[in-house]
Amino acid sequence: MATSACAETIVSAEYTSPTDRYAHGVLGDAIEWGELQITTDADLHRFVLPQDRVFEDIAPRLADVDRDGTPEVVVVETLASAGAQIAIYDETGKIAATPHIGQTNRWLAPIGVADLDGDGVIEIAYIDRPHLAKTLRVWRFADGALTPVADLPGLTNHRIGERDIGGGIRDCGQGPELVTANADWTKVMVTTLENGQLQTRAIGTHVDRSSFDIALACDTLP
């Protein structure tokens, strides 16, 4: 997709307006975020959430989800009565989102954004309820909307109170692989998307965050 000569290019994004109005605390404290600020090469855009919503996240992610050569912003946005969702923003505001999980105090932990199956279209991967359902979900962004692709239970990337999200996406020469833990945190797992199906395998023992670092660097785990 070609960009127009006057289009703005996003260069950074951050959460601001810390708030304690949503008492979940899954990321280790009672503070979430009430505002997203997106800086472009031309302006600063502020998106202030209503009182029943927060950004329940560690940081916004810049990713070119529509493959137009410039990034959008991928966030975790939570509705107090219905839990978290993945949302995509650009300089105009929210342009797409997954459904909310459906219940208060229910969260999701992003893994990353990539063309996971090599078809030229971007997918977003996350763990739905990493402390409860422990289910990997993959959604695809196409034609301005997010649609579900595949799910796989038995994986996780976060424990209650941790201030970061473990794992991520690596490419060790065979295409993108999602790096997570198994449900009981004993193994590091890598998962691929092939022909619309998720395939997972253990690549070593999970000890701590360094296990993910080794895996993401394509080094060998014990």
Side-chain angles (χ1 to χ4, degrees), residues 155-197:
L155 301 170
T156 190
N157 60 350
H158 185 268
R159 288 180 278 204
I160 292 174
E162 290 177 333
R163 293 181 176 272
D164 64 345
I165 297 171
I169 298 179
R170 72 177 192 176
D171 189 337
C172 301
Q174 303 298 316
E177 297 177 312
L178 305 171
V179 178
T180 66
N182 63 344
D184 66 3
W185 290 92
T186 58
K187 299 293 183 182
V188 175
M189 310 294 292
V190 293
T191 305
T192 56
L193 178 66
E194 302 174 23
N195 300 316
Q197 301 294 317

Side-chain angles (χ1 to χ4, degrees), residues 30-67:
I31 302 302
E32 310 302 344
W33 306 98
E35 180 178 336
L36 173 66
Q37 292 189 358
I38 295 177
T39 301
T40 71
D41 56 359
D43 207 348
L44 172 66
H45 302 270
R46 301 174 62 238
F47 303 100
V48 179
L49 292 178
Q51 288 296 304
D52 62 349
R53 290 178 179 266
V54 295
F55 295 109
E56 192 177 12
D57 200 0
I58 55 173
R61 299 150 196 82
L62 268 59
D64 183 9
V65 298
D66 59 6
R67 304 302 292 265

